[in-house]
Amino acid sequence: MFLLAWTVLEMVNHGGGTIPLGIVGFIAPDLTLFVGPAGPHEPGQLPRGKVAAYNLVHRPIGPVLGLVVVPFLPGDGPGANVGLFTFALGWLLHIASDRALGYGLRTADGWQR
């Protein structure tokens, strides 16, 4: 709930481009389901060719690094990179939501861990 509230707060406070960037940050990790070759798989199993990209963007280290680094990027004023910050918040919100709903990283053969 905290990440959801923080993401919405950033989007409302800053408006403009932060709104679509926060939404894209939330949706983007699942776009990896369209990356890589689709091979044979059973229901609930991710094709092997998609597992590496899926696992890469569903680890929290990427958005956490974004939340730490983005405020220190050069720009015109303190709110210059708030869109990238909101993108990272949306991305982290996606990962947290997946974990809360029981979805996690995948094994090499595409099954839930």
XYZ file of all heavy atoms in Angstrom:
841
model
N 0.814 -1.191 0.000
C 0.000 0.000 0.000
C 0.866 1.267 0.000
O 0.490 2.248 -0.600
C -0.914 0.000 1.232
C -2.032 -1.031 1.175
S -3.133 -0.866 -0.242
C -4.028 0.589 0.156
N 1.991 1.185 0.702
C 2.873 2.348 0.778
C 3.381 2.734 -0.609
O 3.364 3.916 -0.981
C 4.039 2.061 1.721
C 5.080 3.147 1.719
C 4.826 4.356 2.357
C 6.279 2.977 1.074
C 5.775 5.367 2.349
C 7.233 3.982 1.058
C 6.982 5.183 1.700
N 3.839 1.741 -1.387
C 4.367 2.054 -2.720
C 3.282 2.595 -3.638
O 3.536 3.501 -4.435
C 5.004 0.811 -3.346
C 6.375 0.433 -2.814
C 6.816 -0.897 -3.383
C 7.388 1.509 -3.166
N 2.086 2.059 -3.520
C 0.975 2.561 -4.328
C 0.688 4.021 -3.970
O 0.566 4.878 -4.854
C -0.268 1.706 -4.117
C -1.547 2.197 -4.810
C -1.353 2.251 -6.317
C -2.702 1.295 -4.435
N 0.599 4.302 -2.686
C 0.325 5.673 -2.238
C 1.443 6.615 -2.676
O 1.174 7.743 -3.132
C 0.160 5.711 -0.725
N 2.689 6.189 -2.557
C 3.824 7.040 -2.927
C 3.835 7.312 -4.436
O 4.071 8.441 -4.878
C 5.124 6.386 -2.481
C 6.341 7.261 -2.561
C 6.405 8.601 -2.810
C 7.684 6.833 -2.388
N 7.710 9.024 -2.789
C 8.521 7.957 -2.536
C 8.274 5.613 -2.118
C 9.893 7.891 -2.438
C 9.650 5.542 -2.006
C 10.449 6.676 -2.159
N 3.567 6.279 -5.232
C 3.543 6.451 -6.687
C 2.442 7.412 -7.096
O 2.664 8.338 -7.888
C 3.351 5.090 -7.383
O 4.377 4.184 -6.954
C 3.409 5.231 -8.886
N 1.248 7.224 -6.553
C 0.130 8.115 -6.881
C 0.428 9.531 -6.401
O 0.147 10.506 -7.110
C -1.191 7.582 -6.281
C -2.306 8.599 -6.403
C -1.575 6.264 -6.955
N 1.008 9.675 -5.222
C 1.361 10.997 -4.704
C 2.323 11.715 -5.642
O 2.136 12.900 -5.949
C 1.983 10.868 -3.309
C 2.452 12.179 -2.677
C 1.254 13.002 -2.255
C 3.358 11.904 -1.496
N 3.348 11.012 -6.115
C 4.306 11.624 -7.045
C 3.613 12.036 -8.341
O 3.880 13.111 -8.880
C 5.463 10.665 -7.346
C 6.415 10.454 -6.200
C 7.203 11.695 -5.826
O 7.592 12.471 -6.729
O 7.423 11.907 -4.623
N 2.719 11.180 -8.849
C 2.035 11.499 -10.099
C 1.106 12.697 -9.932
O 1.042 13.568 -10.800
C 1.266 10.277 -10.608
C 2.187 9.157 -11.049
S 1.441 7.731 -11.877
C 0.000 7.366 -10.963
N 0.408 12.774 -8.807
C -0.522 13.881 -8.562
C 0.239 15.182 -8.284
O -0.101 16.238 -8.807
C -1.483 13.544 -7.406
C -2.272 14.753 -6.965
C -2.414 12.406 -7.808
N 1.280 15.102 -7.476
C 2.040 16.312 -7.117
C 2.733 16.941 -8.315
O 2.835 18.160 -8.405
C 3.080 16.010 -6.046
C 2.487 15.960 -4.663
O 1.378 16.405 -4.435
N 3.242 15.414 -3.725
N 3.260 16.116 -9.218
C 4.074 16.646 -10.307
C 3.341 16.678 -11.637
O 3.759 17.389 -12.549
C 5.380 15.869 -10.428
C 6.209 15.957 -9.193
N 6.919 17.087 -8.859
C 6.419 15.072 -8.193
C 7.543 16.892 -7.701
N 7.253 15.676 -7.284
N 2.283 15.875 -11.790
C 1.470 15.888 -13.006
C 2.284 15.693 -14.262
O 3.380 15.146 -14.261
N 1.761 16.162 -15.375
C 2.456 16.111 -16.659
C 2.931 14.733 -17.036
O 2.173 13.770 -17.009
N 4.208 14.640 -17.364
C 4.793 13.394 -17.824
C 4.963 12.336 -16.757
O 5.201 11.171 -17.077
N 4.829 12.724 -15.491
C 5.008 11.711 -14.445
C 3.861 10.713 -14.420
O 4.065 9.568 -14.037
C 5.131 12.355 -13.047
O 3.942 13.074 -12.750
C 6.337 13.259 -12.966
N 2.690 11.131 -14.851
C 1.536 10.227 -14.830
C 1.735 9.069 -15.803
O 1.673 7.905 -15.401
C 0.226 10.996 -15.077
C -0.012 11.974 -13.920
C -0.951 10.040 -15.235
C -1.131 12.957 -14.145
N 1.995 9.335 -17.096
C 2.222 8.188 -17.985
C 3.475 7.397 -17.628
O 3.494 6.173 -17.785
C 2.323 8.806 -19.375
C 2.517 10.253 -19.178
C 1.974 10.594 -17.830
N 4.513 8.068 -17.129
C 5.724 7.327 -16.768
C 5.486 6.403 -15.581
O 6.013 5.291 -15.536
C 6.882 8.277 -16.477
C 7.556 8.843 -17.728
C 8.523 9.948 -17.366
C 8.262 7.748 -18.500
N 4.693 6.817 -14.617
C 4.357 5.943 -13.495
C 3.545 4.743 -13.945
O 3.773 3.607 -13.503
N 2.613 4.975 -14.873
C 1.791 3.883 -15.397
C 2.634 2.931 -16.234
O 2.526 1.704 -16.103
C 0.605 4.450 -16.192
C -0.343 5.193 -15.243
C -0.136 3.347 -16.937
C -1.400 6.016 -15.922
N 3.486 3.466 -17.084
C 4.368 2.628 -17.903
C 5.318 1.834 -17.015
O 5.574 0.656 -17.269
C 5.144 3.477 -18.934
C 6.265 2.689 -19.584
C 4.185 4.012 -19.989
N 5.829 2.462 -15.957
C 6.699 1.741 -15.028
C 5.991 0.559 -14.396
O 6.597 -0.489 -14.151
N 4.696 0.700 -14.161
C 3.926 -0.394 -13.568
C 3.646 -1.498 -14.580
O 3.650 -2.680 -14.238
C 2.597 0.138 -13.004
C 1.789 -0.912 -12.306
C 2.157 -1.353 -11.040
C 0.684 -1.476 -12.907
C 1.425 -2.340 -10.394
C -0.065 -2.449 -12.270
C 0.313 -2.888 -11.007
N 3.441 -1.146 -15.836
C 3.085 -2.125 -16.864
C 4.308 -2.758 -17.523
O 4.286 -3.932 -17.896
C 2.208 -1.452 -17.936
C 0.876 -1.027 -17.319
C 1.954 -2.366 -19.120
C 0.035 -0.150 -18.214
N 5.368 -2.009 -17.700
C 6.524 -2.424 -18.494
C 7.126 -3.784 -18.130
O 7.507 -4.531 -19.039
C 7.602 -1.344 -18.452
N 7.244 -4.150 -16.862
C 7.872 -5.451 -16.581
C 7.170 -6.639 -17.227
O 7.817 -7.615 -17.610
C 7.826 -5.545 -15.051
C 7.838 -4.132 -14.602
C 7.020 -3.396 -15.629
N 5.863 -6.566 -17.413
C 5.165 -7.682 -18.034
C 5.257 -7.664 -19.551
O 4.861 -8.629 -20.207
C 3.702 -7.726 -17.587
C 3.556 -8.371 -16.220
O 4.516 -9.040 -15.767
O 2.498 -8.217 -15.597
N 5.799 -6.601 -20.120
C 6.025 -6.586 -21.559
C 7.104 -7.585 -21.958
O 7.204 -7.951 -23.124
C 6.379 -5.176 -22.028
C 5.268 -4.139 -21.872
C 5.760 -2.768 -22.314
C 4.014 -4.540 -22.621
N 7.887 -8.038 -20.989
C 8.899 -9.058 -21.281
C 8.249 -10.382 -21.664
O 8.922 -11.254 -22.214
C 9.837 -9.285 -20.087
O 9.059 -9.670 -18.953
C 10.636 -8.046 -19.774
N 6.964 -10.527 -21.406
C 6.262 -11.744 -21.825
C 6.170 -11.822 -23.345
O 5.917 -12.890 -23.897
C 4.869 -11.794 -21.198
C 4.843 -11.869 -19.677
C 3.418 -11.760 -19.166
C 5.494 -13.147 -19.185
N 6.389 -10.685 -24.020
C 6.360 -10.655 -25.474
C 7.764 -10.713 -26.080
O 7.913 -10.666 -27.288
C 5.649 -9.386 -25.961
C 4.239 -9.287 -25.478
C 3.891 -8.358 -24.504
C 3.257 -10.124 -25.968
C 2.590 -8.262 -24.048
C 1.952 -10.044 -25.513
C 1.612 -9.112 -24.547
N 8.794 -10.787 -25.234
C 10.181 -10.805 -25.681
C 10.687 -12.243 -25.665
O 10.395 -13.005 -24.759
C 11.064 -9.938 -24.743
C 12.533 -10.043 -25.109
C 10.604 -8.497 -24.771
N 11.461 -12.579 -26.660
C 12.049 -13.908 -26.700
C 11.167 -14.889 -27.453
O 9.989 -14.649 -27.694
N 11.759 -15.996 -27.822
C 11.009 -16.985 -28.599
C 9.961 -17.699 -27.755
O 10.188 -18.021 -26.601
C 12.091 -17.957 -29.068
C 13.183 -17.820 -28.072
C 13.132 -16.408 -27.576
N 8.820 -17.916 -28.362
C 7.761 -18.678 -27.699
C 7.936 -20.144 -28.088
O 7.859 -20.489 -29.257
C 6.396 -18.167 -28.120
N 8.196 -20.953 -27.127
C 8.356 -22.373 -27.379
C 7.224 -23.146 -26.744
O 6.271 -22.567 -26.220
N 7.327 -24.430 -26.781
C 6.286 -25.240 -26.159
C 6.274 -25.029 -24.645
O 7.319 -24.925 -24.021
C 6.676 -26.678 -26.515
C 8.130 -26.616 -26.828
C 8.401 -25.244 -27.342
N 5.076 -24.927 -24.103
C 4.935 -24.750 -22.662
C 3.541 -25.179 -22.236
O 2.613 -25.231 -23.036
C 5.217 -23.304 -22.255
C 4.278 -22.314 -22.849
N 4.373 -21.886 -24.159
C 3.208 -21.682 -22.333
C 3.415 -21.030 -24.405
N 2.674 -20.889 -23.312
N 3.409 -25.472 -20.970
C 2.132 -25.882 -20.403
C 1.477 -24.674 -19.739
O 2.133 -23.666 -19.494
C 2.368 -26.986 -19.371
C 2.954 -28.253 -19.961
C 3.207 -29.314 -18.909
O 2.465 -29.360 -17.908
O 4.159 -30.075 -19.093
N 0.174 -24.763 -19.422
C -0.468 -23.657 -18.713
C 0.242 -23.365 -17.391
O 0.549 -24.278 -16.633
C -1.892 -24.170 -18.465
C -2.121 -25.195 -19.539
C -0.777 -25.825 -19.780
N 0.537 -22.093 -17.137
C 1.240 -21.686 -15.926
C 2.748 -21.699 -16.068
O 3.457 -21.264 -15.170
N 3.225 -22.194 -17.180
C 4.663 -22.249 -17.429
C 5.028 -21.182 -18.451
O 4.331 -20.978 -19.434
C 5.054 -23.631 -17.967
C 6.522 -23.788 -18.240
C 6.850 -25.131 -18.893
O 6.005 -25.742 -19.527
N 8.080 -25.579 -18.718
N 6.120 -20.490 -18.205
C 6.626 -19.488 -19.138
C 7.580 -20.187 -20.102
O 8.393 -21.016 -19.663
C 7.362 -18.402 -18.349
C 7.681 -17.088 -19.021
C 6.403 -16.382 -19.455
C 8.446 -16.197 -18.067
N 7.490 -19.909 -21.415
C 8.446 -20.528 -22.338
C 9.889 -20.217 -21.934
O 10.191 -19.112 -21.484
C 8.105 -19.902 -23.682
C 6.686 -19.480 -23.554
C 6.522 -19.081 -22.109
N 10.771 -21.178 -22.106
C 12.167 -21.031 -21.675
C 12.846 -19.796 -22.257
O 13.670 -19.170 -21.606
C 12.975 -22.268 -22.054
C 12.657 -23.455 -21.226
C 13.485 -24.651 -21.704
N 13.087 -25.838 -20.990
C 13.880 -26.482 -20.148
N 15.102 -26.052 -19.940
N 13.454 -27.558 -19.533
N 12.521 -19.414 -23.466
C 13.143 -18.270 -24.109
C 12.763 -16.938 -23.486
O 13.405 -15.925 -23.736
N 11.743 -16.906 -22.689
C 11.269 -15.672 -22.069
C 11.685 -15.533 -20.607
O 11.563 -14.469 -20.022
C 9.744 -15.594 -22.163
C 9.229 -15.590 -23.586
C 7.729 -15.600 -23.616
C 7.204 -15.740 -25.011
N 7.221 -14.537 -25.789
N 12.188 -16.598 -20.013
C 12.469 -16.631 -18.578
C 13.547 -15.631 -18.176
O 13.394 -14.918 -17.185
C 12.841 -18.056 -18.123
C 13.346 -18.061 -16.695
C 11.648 -18.988 -18.282
N 14.628 -15.548 -18.930
C 15.748 -14.674 -18.534
C 15.311 -13.207 -18.482
O 15.594 -12.502 -17.503
C 16.912 -14.843 -19.495
N 14.609 -12.745 -19.516
C 14.157 -11.349 -19.531
C 13.132 -11.107 -18.424
O 13.165 -10.073 -17.751
C 13.559 -11.002 -20.896
N 12.218 -12.049 -18.233
C 11.200 -11.909 -17.186
C 11.849 -11.791 -15.812
O 11.523 -10.903 -15.038
C 10.250 -13.110 -17.233
C 9.184 -13.071 -16.170
C 7.978 -12.432 -16.412
C 9.385 -13.654 -14.922
C 6.997 -12.380 -15.436
C 8.415 -13.608 -13.949
C 7.220 -12.969 -14.201
O 6.253 -12.919 -13.230
N 12.776 -12.696 -15.515
C 13.434 -12.671 -14.209
C 14.275 -11.417 -14.012
O 14.346 -10.880 -12.905
C 14.286 -13.919 -14.006
C 13.458 -15.128 -13.643
O 12.296 -15.019 -13.269
N 14.055 -16.295 -13.759
N 14.897 -10.929 -15.075
C 15.737 -9.735 -14.975
C 14.933 -8.517 -14.519
O 15.353 -7.797 -13.617
C 16.411 -9.441 -16.312
C 17.301 -8.208 -16.356
C 18.525 -8.409 -15.464
C 17.713 -7.911 -17.775
N 13.769 -8.302 -15.119
C 12.991 -7.108 -14.778
C 12.064 -7.323 -13.593
O 11.386 -6.382 -13.167
C 12.191 -6.569 -15.985
C 13.130 -6.146 -17.094
C 11.170 -7.566 -16.451
N 12.020 -8.520 -13.049
C 11.200 -8.770 -11.859
C 12.047 -8.921 -10.594
O 11.585 -9.448 -9.593
C 10.306 -9.995 -12.078
C 9.106 -9.677 -12.910
N 9.156 -9.665 -14.283
C 7.843 -9.323 -12.571
C 7.965 -9.338 -14.752
N 7.149 -9.117 -13.729
N 13.260 -8.444 -10.654
C 14.115 -8.360 -9.465
C 14.089 -6.907 -8.985
O 14.201 -5.987 -9.790
C 15.534 -8.784 -9.775
C 15.655 -10.244 -10.124
C 17.099 -10.631 -10.341
N 17.208 -11.981 -10.848
C 17.226 -13.066 -10.091
N 17.156 -12.952 -8.793
N 17.318 -14.261 -10.627
N 13.988 -6.672 -7.697
C 13.846 -5.294 -7.206
C 15.104 -4.441 -7.292
O 15.024 -3.229 -7.111
C 13.412 -5.483 -5.755
C 13.832 -6.852 -5.383
C 13.821 -7.662 -6.641
N 16.240 -5.020 -7.605
C 17.477 -4.241 -7.608
C 17.444 -3.123 -8.650
O 17.929 -2.016 -8.395
C 18.728 -5.148 -7.799
C 20.007 -4.361 -7.589
C 18.716 -5.813 -9.154
C 20.250 -3.957 -6.178
N 16.839 -3.340 -9.799
C 16.775 -2.312 -10.846
C 16.035 -1.062 -10.399
O 16.589 0.044 -10.437
N 14.782 -1.198 -9.968
C 14.076 0.011 -9.546
C 14.640 0.629 -8.269
O 14.609 1.853 -8.115
C 12.638 -0.459 -9.344
C 12.694 -1.921 -9.224
C 13.896 -2.359 -9.996
N 15.178 -0.171 -7.364
C 15.769 0.394 -6.146
C 16.988 1.239 -6.515
O 17.173 2.342 -5.992
C 16.115 -0.702 -5.121
C 16.980 -0.165 -4.007
C 14.841 -1.327 -4.563
N 17.821 0.740 -7.423
C 18.962 1.538 -7.892
C 18.474 2.822 -8.560
O 19.074 3.887 -8.387
C 19.821 0.735 -8.861
C 20.790 -0.247 -8.238
C 21.485 -1.082 -9.316
C 21.815 0.462 -7.383
N 17.379 2.720 -9.319
C 16.812 3.911 -9.942
C 16.380 4.931 -8.910
O 16.627 6.132 -9.071
N 15.747 4.477 -7.837
C 15.295 5.402 -6.794
C 16.458 6.057 -6.072
O 16.340 7.188 -5.591
C 14.407 4.664 -5.786
C 13.068 4.160 -6.320
C 12.358 3.325 -5.260
C 12.196 5.300 -6.787
N 17.587 5.366 -6.017
C 18.762 5.924 -5.348
C 19.537 6.859 -6.279
O 19.991 7.919 -5.861
C 19.685 4.785 -4.844
C 21.012 5.316 -4.363
C 18.987 3.993 -3.745
N 19.673 6.500 -7.544
C 20.527 7.245 -8.476
C 19.820 8.450 -9.092
O 20.427 9.517 -9.236
C 21.055 6.297 -9.581
C 21.751 7.062 -10.687
C 21.981 5.254 -8.979
N 18.558 8.298 -9.465
C 17.850 9.356 -10.203
C 17.875 10.715 -9.496
O 18.081 11.742 -10.160
C 16.411 8.913 -10.546
C 15.557 10.073 -10.992
C 16.445 7.846 -11.624
N 17.687 10.798 -8.189
C 17.727 12.131 -7.561
C 19.062 12.858 -7.711
O 19.120 14.072 -7.574
C 17.442 11.847 -6.081
C 16.685 10.565 -6.085
C 17.258 9.783 -7.238
N 20.119 12.125 -8.013
C 21.441 12.737 -8.142
C 21.823 13.026 -9.590
O 22.912 13.523 -9.846
C 22.498 11.852 -7.479
C 22.274 11.702 -6.000
C 21.709 10.543 -5.488
C 22.589 12.727 -5.133
C 21.480 10.400 -4.129
C 22.354 12.609 -3.769
C 21.801 11.445 -3.264
N 20.950 12.719 -10.530
C 21.240 13.021 -11.926
C 21.160 14.527 -12.149
O 20.356 15.215 -11.528
C 20.240 12.308 -12.840
C 20.310 10.793 -12.886
C 19.195 10.242 -13.772
C 21.658 10.315 -13.386
N 21.991 15.047 -13.047
C 21.946 16.491 -13.297
C 20.640 16.885 -13.984
O 20.059 16.103 -14.723
C 23.146 16.730 -14.214
C 23.442 15.417 -14.825
C 22.999 14.375 -13.836
N 20.198 18.075 -13.702
C 18.971 18.586 -14.319
C 18.697 19.997 -13.861
O 19.396 20.546 -13.013
N 17.661 20.582 -14.423
C 17.290 21.959 -14.080
C 16.353 21.965 -12.889
O 15.140 21.881 -13.032
C 16.617 22.644 -15.270
C 17.550 22.795 -16.452
O 18.766 22.882 -16.217
O 17.061 22.818 -17.586
N 16.890 22.033 -11.709
C 16.078 22.110 -10.498
C 15.828 20.754 -9.869
O 16.134 19.721 -10.440
N 15.241 20.762 -8.682
C 15.050 19.533 -7.920
C 14.035 18.578 -8.545
O 14.083 17.389 -8.305
C 14.570 20.011 -6.551
C 14.102 21.407 -6.759
C 14.835 21.941 -7.938
N 13.108 19.062 -9.374
C 12.100 18.189 -9.963
C 12.415 17.773 -11.389
O 11.552 17.277 -12.094
N 13.675 17.944 -11.813
C 14.031 17.702 -13.208
C 13.864 16.242 -13.613
O 13.479 15.952 -14.733
C 15.467 18.146 -13.459
N 14.142 15.326 -12.739
C 14.110 13.909 -13.081
C 12.988 13.161 -12.372
O 13.058 11.951 -12.219
C 15.463 13.274 -12.751
C 16.576 13.920 -13.542
O 16.483 14.046 -14.752
N 17.616 14.351 -12.852
N 11.972 13.886 -11.977
C 10.897 13.266 -11.208
C 10.153 12.217 -12.042
O 9.629 11.246 -11.497
C 9.950 14.333 -10.625
C 9.069 14.942 -11.685
C 9.129 13.763 -9.505
N 10.123 12.369 -13.352
C 9.481 11.364 -14.206
C 10.182 10.023 -14.135
O 9.533 8.975 -14.023
N 11.509 10.044 -14.193
C 12.274 8.797 -14.074
C 12.111 8.192 -12.686
O 12.039 6.968 -12.530
C 13.755 9.053 -14.360
C 14.110 9.444 -15.787
C 15.591 9.798 -15.876
C 13.767 8.328 -16.746
N 12.050 9.037 -11.685
C 11.844 8.569 -10.317
C 10.483 7.884 -10.193
O 10.362 6.812 -9.593
C 11.948 9.758 -9.352
C 11.948 9.378 -7.904
C 13.119 8.966 -7.288
C 10.783 9.427 -7.148
C 13.134 8.609 -5.941
C 10.780 9.086 -5.816
C 11.956 8.672 -5.205
N 9.463 8.476 -10.785
C 8.120 7.904 -10.738
C 8.059 6.607 -11.536
O 7.363 5.665 -11.149
C 7.084 8.916 -11.257
O 7.244 10.139 -10.539
C 5.671 8.409 -11.069
N 8.785 6.533 -12.646
C 8.878 5.282 -13.411
C 9.444 4.168 -12.526
O 8.906 3.058 -12.489
C 9.766 5.480 -14.644
C 9.954 4.229 -15.455
C 9.039 3.893 -16.432
C 11.049 3.399 -15.237
C 9.208 2.730 -17.183
C 11.225 2.247 -15.980
C 10.304 1.909 -16.961
N 10.517 4.466 -11.796
C 11.132 3.476 -10.910
C 10.161 3.075 -9.792
O 10.104 1.903 -9.406
C 12.440 4.011 -10.331
N 9.405 4.027 -9.273
C 8.397 3.705 -8.246
C 7.326 2.774 -8.807
O 6.926 1.806 -8.146
C 7.730 4.977 -7.733
C 8.419 5.731 -6.619
C 7.665 7.018 -6.325
C 8.528 4.891 -5.378
N 6.852 3.058 -10.013
C 5.854 2.193 -10.645
C 6.382 0.801 -10.887
O 5.683 -0.202 -10.693
N 7.644 0.718 -11.290
C 8.296 -0.571 -11.539
C 8.389 -1.365 -10.228
O 8.062 -2.551 -10.180
C 9.654 -0.293 -12.141
C 10.481 -1.465 -12.551
C 10.125 -2.786 -12.565
C 11.833 -1.419 -13.020
N 11.175 -3.546 -13.016
C 12.226 -2.732 -13.303
C 12.733 -0.391 -13.220
C 13.501 -3.049 -13.781
C 13.994 -0.707 -13.698
C 14.370 -2.018 -13.979
N 8.825 -0.716 -9.165
C 8.924 -1.383 -7.868
C 7.535 -1.777 -7.355
O 7.369 -2.847 -6.758
C 9.639 -0.486 -6.861
C 10.034 -1.118 -5.531
C 10.952 -2.308 -5.738
C 10.698 -0.085 -4.640
N 6.536 -0.950 -7.599
C 5.165 -1.271 -7.227
C 4.698 -2.533 -7.951
O 4.042 -3.392 -7.360
C 4.240 -0.098 -7.541
C 2.741 -0.330 -7.368
C 2.408 -0.652 -5.914
C 1.963 0.892 -7.839
N 5.047 -2.662 -9.223
C 4.687 -3.858 -9.982
C 5.293 -5.110 -9.354
O 4.604 -6.111 -9.151
C 5.166 -3.725 -11.439
C 4.926 -4.948 -12.245
N 3.822 -5.098 -13.043
C 5.625 -6.113 -12.359
C 3.867 -6.288 -13.617
N 4.957 -6.912 -13.217
N 6.568 -5.040 -9.034
C 7.253 -6.200 -8.443
C 6.633 -6.555 -7.100
O 6.363 -7.727 -6.816
C 8.765 -5.915 -8.307
C 9.399 -5.776 -9.698
C 9.456 -7.013 -7.502
C 10.807 -5.239 -9.673
N 6.378 -5.553 -6.268
C 5.769 -5.797 -4.953
C 4.363 -6.381 -5.101
O 3.973 -7.288 -4.348
C 5.739 -4.515 -4.135
N 3.605 -5.880 -6.068
C 2.254 -6.399 -6.303
C 2.305 -7.854 -6.748
O 1.503 -8.680 -6.297
C 1.539 -5.564 -7.363
O 1.420 -4.237 -6.957
N 3.221 -8.161 -7.658
C 3.374 -9.553 -8.091
C 3.676 -10.470 -6.911
O 3.073 -11.532 -6.766
C 4.501 -9.687 -9.119
C 4.039 -9.426 -10.536
O 2.838 -9.152 -10.742
O 4.885 -9.512 -11.454
N 4.604 -10.056 -6.065
C 4.971 -10.885 -4.904
C 3.785 -11.045 -3.963
O 3.536 -12.122 -3.440
C 6.149 -10.284 -4.142
C 7.453 -10.176 -4.908
C 7.984 -11.518 -5.397
N 9.364 -11.452 -5.808
C 9.774 -10.990 -6.978
N 8.914 -10.521 -7.836
N 11.056 -10.977 -7.277
N 3.033 -9.979 -3.749
C 1.867 -10.027 -2.857
C 0.788 -10.962 -3.404
O 0.056 -11.587 -2.636
C 1.298 -8.637 -2.650
N 0.692 -11.058 -4.729
C -0.313 -11.919 -5.351
C 0.188 -13.343 -5.583
O -0.524 -14.160 -6.146
C -0.768 -11.305 -6.676
C -1.520 -9.980 -6.545
C -1.736 -9.350 -7.916
C -2.837 -10.185 -5.826
N 1.420 -13.621 -5.155
C 1.955 -14.970 -5.260
C 2.761 -15.255 -6.505
O 3.122 -16.399 -6.766
N 3.041 -14.232 -7.299
C 3.867 -14.410 -8.495
C 5.287 -13.993 -8.165
O 5.509 -12.934 -7.602
C 3.351 -13.563 -9.655
C 1.952 -13.906 -10.066
C 0.896 -13.076 -9.725
C 1.686 -15.058 -10.777
C -0.397 -13.388 -10.092
C 0.397 -15.392 -11.142
C -0.644 -14.548 -10.803
O -1.921 -14.855 -11.153
N 6.222 -14.813 -8.541
C 7.611 -14.489 -8.261
C 8.476 -14.781 -9.461
O 7.999 -14.847 -10.590
N 9.735 -14.977 -9.207
C 10.667 -15.308 -10.271
C 10.375 -16.707 -10.785
O 9.706 -17.507 -10.123
C 12.098 -15.202 -9.759
C 12.507 -13.812 -9.258
C 13.903 -13.859 -8.673
C 12.407 -12.785 -10.359
N 10.884 -17.006 -11.954
C 10.650 -18.297 -12.590
C 11.913 -19.152 -12.563
O 13.022 -18.639 -12.566
C 10.224 -18.104 -14.060
C 8.973 -17.272 -14.244
C 7.775 -17.962 -13.650
N 6.551 -17.254 -13.886
C 5.514 -17.785 -14.539
N 5.564 -19.012 -14.999
N 4.418 -17.077 -14.688
N 11.715 -20.444 -12.545
C 12.845 -21.368 -12.667
C 13.303 -21.357 -14.106
O 12.637 -20.817 -14.992
C 12.446 -22.788 -12.247
O 11.406 -23.253 -13.118
C 11.986 -22.839 -10.813
N 14.432 -21.987 -14.396
C 14.980 -21.997 -15.751
C 14.026 -22.638 -16.759
O 14.027 -22.285 -17.930
C 16.314 -22.723 -15.767
N 13.185 -23.559 -16.298
C 12.232 -24.182 -17.208
C 10.880 -23.474 -17.229
O 9.928 -23.946 -17.838
C 12.082 -25.670 -16.925
C 11.623 -25.971 -15.508
O 11.579 -25.046 -14.694
O 11.306 -27.142 -15.251
N 10.754 -22.305 -16.557
C 9.575 -21.469 -16.702
C 8.509 -21.592 -15.623
O 7.484 -20.926 -15.692
N 8.721 -22.407 -14.617
C 7.716 -22.571 -13.555
C 7.954 -21.579 -12.427
O 9.064 -21.101 -12.241
C 7.759 -24.003 -13.003
C 7.346 -25.025 -14.005
C 8.161 -25.872 -14.687
C 6.027 -25.304 -14.471
N 7.443 -26.653 -15.533
C 6.117 -26.324 -15.417
C 4.769 -24.779 -14.172
C 5.001 -26.837 -16.070
C 3.665 -25.292 -14.829
C 3.793 -26.312 -15.766
N 6.915 -21.291 -11.667
C 7.033 -20.424 -10.496
C 7.982 -21.070 -9.492
O 7.954 -22.273 -9.308
C 5.681 -20.214 -9.816
C 4.730 -19.332 -10.560
C 5.096 -17.875 -10.466
O 5.753 -17.429 -9.549
N 4.685 -17.135 -11.458
N 8.791 -20.241 -8.841
C 9.676 -20.755 -7.799
C 8.908 -20.960 -6.541
O 7.964 -20.349 -6.224
C 10.826 -19.790 -7.528
C 11.798 -19.755 -8.660
C 12.989 -18.924 -8.284
N 13.854 -18.876 -9.449
C 15.031 -18.315 -9.448
N 15.500 -17.768 -8.383
N 15.748 -18.310 -10.525
